């Protein structure tokens, strides 16, 4: 069957091209590694002289993979014209493998990249954002006015000048001009809100320089877009990630013009990816006003995450999709959706499994994003030595979305080293990623594989990247795992770490982890614990448990996410977190931390509470509280809930007790009173007559 011909059964069609013989591809070896005979036929000019192969394949509906991204627009056009309704994927094997000094040894990597491209990725949901074209141009001088004029034909523009100097009035007032300084700003594309101090409209009769009416503070306004040409402090944190807010250097005309071009197109309804899928049921943020896990709040650069009681809220319109929240979330409550974590894990499994099956050796995983990493790899391929044959690129949407779960899975699937390529522009956002790297290093070093194998490369220079790649040495790696992935982030992470432990050069039962780790023990000073069980009600994962039949506190270490809610809730301050990975069976078993006999009611003998907690309450209240200074009040603490009520109502000092019940009057009482009144009146009348 010719490469690209329809199989009629929905089988994957694969097109491989050596780009006019610039890549030494091995057809037979690729076909064997990919398990697809189509990979064995190597085209030389698929995008030109051999385009008919793609046209013929478009007649069917089987999935198509084309090993070329440079000419993807052309192939998409060909497929569309042919009425193709199937799924088409494009994968780059040229800059990532074929254009390299080690291209002849890159067969396993090419097969892995081709196999990875066949993994189906679920479409991410989105939210709609509406812009009606109301644009605020915020500046200091004529540059802002001229920019507003250029936008006026496409947008509804207003100019706001902060501390304007000698600004010449325009000959034609074709855009409204005001002065003022933005004191506060919030919102997002399509819904910005600002508060302006020193606000005043311009005076129409100004002659030599612009003049303004009497100013006032606290003016408020709304707009859809903001062009900030002040060159001052940005109005928003992580301003470059705030959709609809543009802040080019006013001294760079080219940058200003680029911003104007983008702004002119932002009128109408737009779809924005819903980057994070949030599951409030497994969030460990807070319980009963006690703060626990704040990891996502700490790493969000845009302020899109806010505390909302026991959970957090994500503003999808402010979220810029960096993925840091998902990387550091211990439970998976914040899940990155572009793509979903399960899709990333499946890509990783297929990539590394194929590489291993194709006799690939010592794989080094180079994780990068498309905006920064892909062009840098391209420059290295075009003007340098290209990627080494064992360095496998793995593209993600944002480098900051990579967490400990992905790193541990990569090592479990046989990676010897992990390199994460980031842009210097992301420098302030890499704290969360650094903590995840720290955990990966702690695991690999603690299990005897050796540290220093997870590196964060903040590079823009391809030569510097090449130098780092040239310095890589062969490292010990785990025997590759073959387990299939599950749906839960925590489950996948534990499976990966347990595999690494099983194959480790120096396995240990308990591995200490850094403070940010989501695995660990809760150390409880049992002598001071009163078994009040406040920690049980606060634990979001059920790691801490009680016993409905008697006072007992139990703990299951494998369920603990080290959120700290138990520590914050404990009234006796007897709990402390101990980040670690326990590989013994005890971690999965429920162990009893403390138990006591129940306290028996001194009145009826009914068991209630725990002996330690009742005695602690008696000690505390008897010594410190004015309401418990008499023996009767202290004795009530030792009673069950029923006897306590009876005792309180029978006590002489019962605050709810009234006086004696009044004796009801009868008809005879009223008649007797009437007779007495009549007799008194008769006597009084007789005395008056005698007088």
């Amino acid at each position: 069957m010719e490469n690209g011909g329809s199989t009629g059964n929905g089988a994957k069609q694969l097109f491989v091209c050596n780009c006019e013989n610039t890549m030494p591809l091995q057809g037979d070896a690729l076909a064997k590694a990919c398990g697809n005979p189509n990979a064995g036929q190597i085209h030389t000019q698929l995008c030109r002289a051999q385009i008919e192969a793609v046209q013929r394949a478009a007649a069917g509906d089987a999935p198509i993979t084309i090993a070329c991204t440079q000419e993807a627009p052309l192939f998409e056009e060909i497929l569309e014209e042919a009425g193709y309704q199937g799924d088409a994927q494009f994968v780059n094997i040229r800059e990532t493998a074929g254009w390299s000094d080690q291209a002849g040894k890159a067969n396993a990597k090419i097969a892995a990249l081709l196999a990875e491209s066949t993994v189906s990725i679920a479409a991410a949901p989105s939210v709609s954002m509406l812009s009606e074209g109301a644009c605020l141009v915020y500046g200091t001088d004529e540059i802002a006015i001229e920019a507003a004029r250029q936008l006026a034909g496409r947008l509804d523009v207003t100019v706001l000048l902060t501390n304007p100097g000698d600004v010449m009035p325009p000959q034609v007032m074709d855009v409204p001009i005001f002065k003022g300084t933005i004191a506060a700003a919030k919102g997002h594309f399509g819904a910005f809100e600002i508060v302006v101090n020193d606000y005043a409209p311009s005076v129409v009769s100004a002659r030599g320089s612009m003049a303004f009416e009497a100013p006032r503070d606290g003016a408020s306004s709304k707009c859809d877009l903001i062009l900030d040409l002040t060159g001052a402090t940005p109005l928003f944190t992580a301003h470059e990630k705030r959709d609809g807010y543009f802040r080019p250097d006013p001294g760079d005309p080219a940058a200003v013009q680029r911003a104007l071009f983008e702004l002119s197109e932002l009128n109408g309804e737009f779809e924005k990816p819903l980057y994070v899928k949030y599951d409030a049921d497994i969030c460990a943020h807070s319980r009963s006003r006690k703060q626990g896990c704040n990891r996502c709040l700490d790493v969000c650069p845009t302020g899109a995450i806010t505390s909302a009681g026991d959970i957090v809220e994500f503003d999808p319109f402010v979220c810029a999709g960096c993925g840091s929240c998902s990387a550091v979330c211990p439970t998976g409550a914040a899940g990155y959706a572009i793509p979903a974590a399960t899709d990333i894990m499946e890509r990783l499994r297929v990539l590394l499994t194929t590489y291993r099956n194709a006799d690939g050796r010592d794989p080094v995983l180079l994780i990068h994003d498309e905006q920064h990493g892909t062009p840098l790899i391209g420059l290295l391929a075009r003007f340098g030595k290209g990627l080494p044959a064992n360095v496998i690129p793995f593209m993600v949407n944002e480098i900051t979305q990579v967490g400990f779960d992905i790193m541990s899975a990569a090592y479990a699937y046989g990676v010897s080293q992990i390199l994460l390529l980031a842009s210097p522009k992301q420098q302030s956002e890499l704290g969360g990623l650094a903590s995840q790297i720290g955990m990966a290093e702690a695991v690999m070093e603690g299990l005897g594989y050796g540290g220093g194998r997870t590196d964060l490369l903040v590079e823009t220079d391809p030569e510097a990247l090449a130098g780092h790649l040239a310095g890589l040495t062969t490292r010990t790696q785990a025997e590759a795992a073959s387990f299939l992935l599950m749906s839960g982030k925590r489950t996948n992470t534990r499976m990966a770490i347990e595999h690494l432990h099983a194959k480790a050069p120096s396995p240990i039962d308990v591995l200490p982890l850094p403070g940010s780790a989501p695995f660990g023990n809760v150390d409880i000073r049992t002598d001071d614990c009163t078994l009040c069980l406040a920690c049980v009600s606060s634990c979001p994962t059920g790691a801490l448990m009680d016993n409905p039949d008697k006072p007992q506190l139990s703990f299951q270490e494998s369920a603990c996410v080290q959120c700290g809610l138990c520590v914050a809730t404990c009234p006796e301050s007897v709990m402390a977190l101990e980040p670690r990975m326990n590989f013994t069976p005890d971690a999965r078993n429920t162990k009893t931390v403390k138990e006591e006999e129940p306290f028996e009611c001194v009145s009826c003998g009914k068991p209630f509470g725990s002996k330690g907690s009742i005695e602690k309450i008696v000690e505390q209240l008897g010594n410190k509280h004015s309401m418990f200074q008499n023996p009767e009040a202290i004795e009530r603490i030792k009673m069950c809930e029923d006897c306590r009520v009876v005792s309180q109502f029978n006590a002489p000092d019962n605050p709810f007790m009234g006086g004696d019940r009044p004796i009801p009057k009868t008809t005879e009482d009223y008649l007797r009173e009437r007779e007495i009144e009549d007799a008194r009146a008769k006597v009084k009348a007789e005395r008056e007559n005698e007088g």
Side-chain angles (χ1 to χ4, degrees), residues 399-484:
I399 195 69
T400 44
Q401 78 184 84
V402 180
F404 178 51
D405 55 333
I406 295 176
M407 298 180 204
S408 58
Y411 283 125
Y413 283 126
V415 163
S416 63
Q417 296 181 66
I418 297 176
L419 307 176
L420 297 115
L421 183 57
S423 167
K425 295 180 180 179
Q426 298 173 291
Q427 193 75 56
S428 61
E429 305 168 18
L430 299 177
L433 178 59
S435 70
Q436 303 302 294
I437 292 174
M439 278 190 280
E441 284 288 282
V443 168
M444 297 303 287
E445 186 169 11
L447 294 179
Y449 293 100
R453 61 173 65 226
T454 312
D455 288 337
L456 177 60
L457 309 180
V458 183
E459 297 288 356
T460 57
D461 184 358
E463 291 186 3
L465 175 60
H468 191 94
L469 297 177
L472 296 175
T473 57
T474 302
R475 307 294 296 272
T476 302
Q477 62 195 77
E479 180 181 330
S482 59
F483 60 80
L484 295 177

Side-chain angles (χ1 to χ4, degrees), residues 361-423:
R361 296 289 184 268
D362 303 319
V364 175
L365 193 67
L366 177 61
I367 305 178
H368 66 93
D369 62 12
E370 183 175 9
Q371 293 74 25
H372 175 70
T374 298
L376 193 59
I377 292 172
L379 290 173
L380 187 62
R382 291 176 180 274
F383 304 105
K385 295 182 178 181
L387 295 180
N390 67 325
V391 175
I392 309 174
F394 187 74
M395 189 174 73
V396 294
N397 190 58
E398 292 284 351
I399 195 69
T400 44
Q401 78 184 84
V402 180
F404 178 51
D405 55 333
I406 295 176
M407 298 180 204
S408 58
Y411 283 125
Y413 283 126
V415 163
S416 63
Q417 296 181 66
I418 297 176
L419 307 176
L420 297 115
L421 183 57
S423 167

Side-chain angles (χ1 to χ4, degrees), residues 629-648:
Q629 297 303 308
N630 62 77
E632 291 80 6
I634 292 294
E635 199 69 8
R636 289 190 197 106
I637 298 175
K638 304 176 183 179
M639 297 179 184
C640 67
E641 63 273 18
D642 296 328
C643 294
R644 194 177 301 129
V645 173
V646 173
S647 174
Q648 181 67 66

Side-chain angles (χ1 to χ4, degrees), residues 219-304:
S220 61
S221 182
K222 298 180 180 180
C223 59
D224 300 311
L225 306 161
I226 298 177
L227 174 60
D228 186 349
L229 296 173
T230 62
T233 303
L235 300 178
F236 302 96
T237 57
H239 64 277
E240 67 281 355
K241 294 181 175 292
R242 184 73 56 137
D243 293 329
Y245 176 69
F246 294 80
R247 187 178 171 272
D249 181 357
D252 184 349
V256 174
Q257 288 302 314
R258 285 194 297 270
L260 294 177
F261 177 77
E262 292 185 47
L263 279 162
S264 66
E265 301 295 326
L266 297 180
N267 190 3
E269 187 172 358
F270 301 85
E271 293 296 316
K272 177 180 179 178
L274 191 62
Y275 293 105
V276 178
K277 183 179 180 181
Y278 175 62
D279 185 354
D281 292 338
I282 56 175
C283 180
H285 169 57
S286 176
R287 292 292 185 276
S288 303
R289 300 182 181 180
K290 296 292 185 180
Q291 292 292 309
C293 176
N294 289 317
R295 291 174 174 92
C296 61
L297 292 164
D298 294 338
V299 299
C300 180
T302 63

Side-chain angles (χ1 to χ4, degrees), residues 336-378:
Y336 202 66
I338 305 183
T342 51
D343 290 337
I344 288 184
M345 291 290 203
E346 180 61 12
R347 284 177 51 209
L348 193 63
R349 186 187 70 82
V350 170
L351 178 78
L352 297 174
T353 300
T354 304
Y355 182 82
R356 181 176 70 250
N357 292 341
D359 297 326
R361 296 289 184 268
D362 303 319
V364 175
L365 193 67
L366 177 61
I367 305 178
H368 66 93
D369 62 12
E370 183 175 9
Q371 293 74 25
H372 175 70
T374 298
L376 193 59
I377 292 172

